[in-house]
Amino acid sequence: MSALAATARAETVGSLLRPAWLQAARRDLVDGVGNQERIRELEDVAVLEAISLQESAGLDVITDGEMRRSGWVATTDNLSGFELRDGGPGLTWHGAEDSRDPGVYSTTMYPTVVQQISERRDAAEDYRFLAEHARARSKYSLPAPSYHRRHWYPEHSSAAYATCEEFLQAVRDHEHALVARLAGLGCDYIQLDAPNYGTLCDPGNRRMLEARGHDLDAELAFDAALDSSVFDGIEGVTRAMHVCRGNAAGRWHSSGGYAAIAEQLFPRLDLDVLLLEYDSDRSGGFEPLAQVRPRTVVVLGLVTTKSGALEDEGSLEAKIAEAAEVWPLQDLALSPQCGFASVAVGNPVTLEQQRAKLELVGWVACRVWGAR
């Protein structure tokens, strides 16, 4: 683990609201107006604004706001081998009935692996600009290999990969090489995003997956080892994972505390930092933190990104104190519960509300753990 990790008390998960002008330019490009070079220039401007926002808010670890992505997961942009097929993971999304992008949820077509994957573009290059311009420590996030279970279906995928596990190992190999390139660019903090584990907190989702023939215990054991192996042989990098319950335009797909997975999952994760979602009653209590590996930093996602209402700092401090009864205060940190724009449209939060929430994270972290 990087020596700086223990001092990272004020974090962000990944995405920030993408400027309207950047989204408009991307729509124009689809319509044949503009060019990719112009989009790159606009992305640079958006990343610089994201850096300024996060650094001024007092965050210890920042991202590029995922301004170069349309959503948090960019696997099908970076890798070939996927086509749309009928099906999908079968999750039901809840909340934010006034979602500004209902089309995200209305389709039954889902990206599915149908050929052996190969690299379409080097995603590590996206980090280079952030590294050159950030003063604060910066990190890069990518979907955990295990997340990609939802892209393999036997009726469509078995000609390319005989088993889902064979496919996941191929994704792991790609991500291991990507992490090595990121480390070579100076990135010393890399985060795997794994809402698939959060899915297993929900009793309804577990029943649905079991009905589809999934052996959840066996898959979880395989997945935890696979995800940890992304970092094998790579030194000087803080290894992190974020586990949430779905975050898209203010919606979620899972409810239930981490107790459903903690005993099986947390001890198996050979990581340095675990970012967990604790912004609502759907998250359960802090008792599952007792299952985390010793000396792991647990980042409490207490500040919601699903609405603009600003949390009370006293309430946040009280929740941190409550968590510290289970996990040492020196091994805790604070962040928003998830990104602000896990899909292109973003959550129902204004730019001003986003700034206020990030500043709240920085301020409360300073009050609880002292000036940095």
Side-chain angles (χ1 to χ4, degrees), residues 174-196:
H174 159 71
E175 294 196 352
H176 182 272
L178 173 60
V179 168
R181 294 197 298 273
L182 288 164
L185 292 173
C187 185
D188 68 350
Y189 191 133
I190 296 172
Q191 173 184 303
L192 302 179
D193 291 324
N196 46 297

Side-chain angles (χ1 to χ4, degrees), residues 232-352:
D232 283 356
I234 299 174
E235 302 294 333
V237 169
T238 294
R239 307 161 299 166
M241 176 177 286
H242 174 239
V243 181
C244 79
R245 298 168 181 81
N247 183 63
R251 297 189 178 194
W252 64 89
H253 56 56
S254 302
S255 296
Y258 290 109
I261 60 173
E263 186 174 355
Q264 290 180 289
L265 177 64
F266 291 168
R268 289 187 165 110
L269 293 174
D270 186 13
L271 302 169
D272 305 308
V273 179
L274 194 58
L275 299 96
L276 301 177
E277 179 182 73
Y278 274 110
D279 68 320
S280 74
D281 293 340
R282 294 183 297 105
S283 305
F286 296 116
E287 294 81 5
L289 301 185
Q291 302 294 332
V292 175
R293 282 191 177 199
R295 295 178 297 281
T296 301
V297 174
V298 174
V299 183
L300 303 173
L302 295 171
V303 177
T304 192
T305 65
K306 287 184 166 60
S307 75
L310 190 63
E311 290 79 0
D312 174 73
E313 63 184 66
S315 297
L316 294 181
E317 291 179 20
K319 289 180 180 179
I320 294 170
E322 182 182 350
E325 295 177 4
V326 181
W327 199 246
L329 182 63
Q330 66 267 23
D331 290 332
L332 291 173
L334 178 64
S335 75
Q337 128 271 338
C338 199
F340 287 88
S342 297
V343 296
V345 69
N347 283 359
V349 176
T350 67
L351 292 171
E352 293 76 16

Side-chain angles (χ1 to χ4, degrees), residues 46-277:
V47 172
L48 290 175
E49 291 184 357
I51 292 171
S52 176
L53 169 63
Q54 294 169 96
E55 291 183 340
S56 66
L59 302 185
D60 296 323
V61 178
I62 70 171
T63 73
D64 66 357
E66 300 180 1
M67 295 297 167
R68 304 192 192 280
R69 311 180 194 180
S70 60
W72 73 272
V73 55
T75 299
T76 57
D77 294 328
N78 299 331
L79 298 178
S80 63
F82 299 88
E83 294 180 3
L84 293 175
R85 293 288 189 272
D86 284 329
L91 299 173
T92 299
W93 289 82
H94 310 276
E97 295 303 326
D98 61 344
S99 168
R100 292 164 288 171
D101 191 18
V104 170
Y105 311 101
S106 62
T107 180
T108 60
M109 302 293 284
Y110 198 78
T112 302
V113 62
V114 296
Q115 299 175 3
Q116 293 209 351
I117 60 174
S118 60
E119 190 166 87
R120 190 194 302 272
R121 61 182 295 272
D122 183 4
E125 287 301 309
D126 291 346
Y127 178 75
R128 189 183 299 274
F129 186 85
L130 174 63
E132 291 173 350
H133 292 87
R135 296 190 306 274
R137 191 180 185 207
S138 57
K139 70 177 175 181
Y140 185 94
S141 63
L142 65 159
S146 61
Y147 169 80
H148 296 84
R149 277 191 181 276
R150 62 189 62 192
H151 293 288
W152 186 95
Y153 300 92
E155 64 272 27
H156 302 306
S157 308
S158 57
Y161 295 98
T163 66
C164 184
E165 286 71 22
E166 182 183 341
F167 165 57
L168 296 182
Q169 288 169 331
V171 175
R172 185 274 317 277
D173 292 346
H174 159 71
E175 294 196 352
H176 182 272
L178 173 60
V179 168
R181 294 197 298 273
L182 288 164
L185 292 173
C187 185
D188 68 350
Y189 191 133
I190 296 172
Q191 173 184 303
L192 302 179
D193 291 324
N196 46 297
Y197 294 131
T199 300
L200 300 179
C201 295
D202 189 301
N205 288 335
R206 295 181 70 93
R207 290 192 294 270
M208 178 271 293
L209 291 168
E210 288 169 344
R212 288 185 168 201
H214 291 271
D215 183 338
L216 299 183
D217 290 344
E219 289 180 1
L220 189 147
F222 177 90
D223 290 352
L226 185 76
D227 290 342
S228 298
S229 73
V230 167
F231 301 100
D232 283 356
I234 299 174
E235 302 294 333
V237 169
T238 294
R239 307 161 299 166
M241 176 177 286
H242 174 239
V243 181
C244 79
R245 298 168 181 81
N247 183 63
R251 297 189 178 194
W252 64 89
H253 56 56
S254 302
S255 296
Y258 290 109
I261 60 173
E263 186 174 355
Q264 290 180 289
L265 177 64
F266 291 168
R268 289 187 165 110
L269 293 174
D270 186 13
L271 302 169
D272 305 308
V273 179
L274 194 58
L275 299 96
L276 301 177
E277 179 182 73

